[in-house]
Amino acid sequence: MANLGEAQKQMTRRLLPESGLELFRTKGYATTVDDIATAAGTTRVTFYAYCPSRSDLMRALIGEQLKGTLERVRSPEHGSTARDPVATVAEGTHEAVMSWLRRTAELWPAVRPVVRIGRDASVVGPDLPDLVGRWIEEAVAGIEDGLTAAGRLEPHQRRFRGVLAMAQPDYVAQHRDGSDWKFGRDQMLEELGASRVRLLN
């Protein structure tokens, strides 16, 4: 019986975030605790036994979803940053930048709805900080670290160039589907890559 109870707990631990993520994607942050509990086949009481609040679930979901796009390592300057962008920026070649962009673009379909949810939640939920903004700031810090490691640009330029280098792919990732840019995916990535190489050299 103990094994059955543990299996039920494990299933609930899995279903609550899965149900929450799906509902946040379809309904936005208007999703309630009762909505999530019902979708997971449980109750509000059980939800609170596993998660202190809807905001905490949102934080965990966004952190988990976005974590997949950044392999975090410790940075003396910024606390935590991402290994791949730091190495790519430090190398600075067109080939390295394009390789990183292609890998990142593969994640766009999965990350795009999570970024939208996170941005909506930070506006609607006063108890939620800008989780997506923090993630982007971490990526900017990674670019800054890469430029510092390579000794490129003046110290006062590095952060702003990182902001510009992150803003472009973020905008493209979020607006690509509804756009009429007359660019195929590969052309779009080539343009982004060329722009990023200019920014970071």
Side-chain angles (χ1 to χ4, degrees), residues 45-112:
V45 172
T46 303
F47 175 94
Y48 285 118
Y50 287 87
C51 193
S53 69
R54 178 181 65 150
S55 300
D56 285 304
L57 179 62
M58 175 63 81
R59 275 189 206 91
L61 286 170
I62 290 176
E64 187 62 33
Q65 292 293 310
L66 296 183
K67 176 174 75 174
T69 66
L70 294 176
E71 187 183 347
R72 289 176 170 87
V73 293
R74 299 310 297 168
S75 161
E77 289 294 316
H78 304 110
S80 171
T81 190
R83 184 188 320 274
D84 200 26
V86 173
T88 298
V89 171
E91 186 175 331
T93 64
H94 182 264
E95 293 74 23
V97 168
M98 287 307 301
S99 177
W100 182 83
L101 270 175
R102 286 189 191 98
R103 288 192 305 275
T104 303
E106 292 299 319
L107 300 170
W108 285 352
V111 171
R112 183 184 307 118

Side-chain angles (χ1 to χ4, degrees), residues 114-135:
V114 176
V115 168
R116 287 184 181 151
I117 293 164
R119 285 183 167 142
D120 290 347
S122 68
V123 171
V124 176
D127 55 338
L128 276 172
D130 184 1
L131 301 170
V132 174
R134 286 184 183 176
W135 170 68

Side-chain angles (χ1 to χ4, degrees), residues 116-191:
R116 287 184 181 151
I117 293 164
R119 285 183 167 142
D120 290 347
S122 68
V123 171
V124 176
D127 55 338
L128 276 172
D130 184 1
L131 301 170
V132 174
R134 286 184 183 176
W135 170 68
I136 290 175
E137 278 299 314
E138 188 168 316
V140 168
I143 291 170
E144 188 178 359
D145 284 349
L147 289 170
T148 300
R152 286 199 309 277
L153 303 177
E154 295 299 320
H156 71 278
Q157 293 177 292
R158 293 171 184 155
R159 180 160 192 76
F160 189 63
R161 293 289 184 97
V163 168
L164 295 176
M166 281 305 297
Q168 292 174 356
D170 177 53
Y171 186 88
V172 170
Q174 291 301 311
H175 297 89
R176 177 180 168 224
D177 288 345
S179 71
D180 185 23
W181 293 335
K182 314 252 188 287
F183 271 114
R185 180 181 178 276
D186 289 342
Q187 285 178 297
M188 202 176 294
L189 292 178
E190 281 295 334
E191 291 287 336

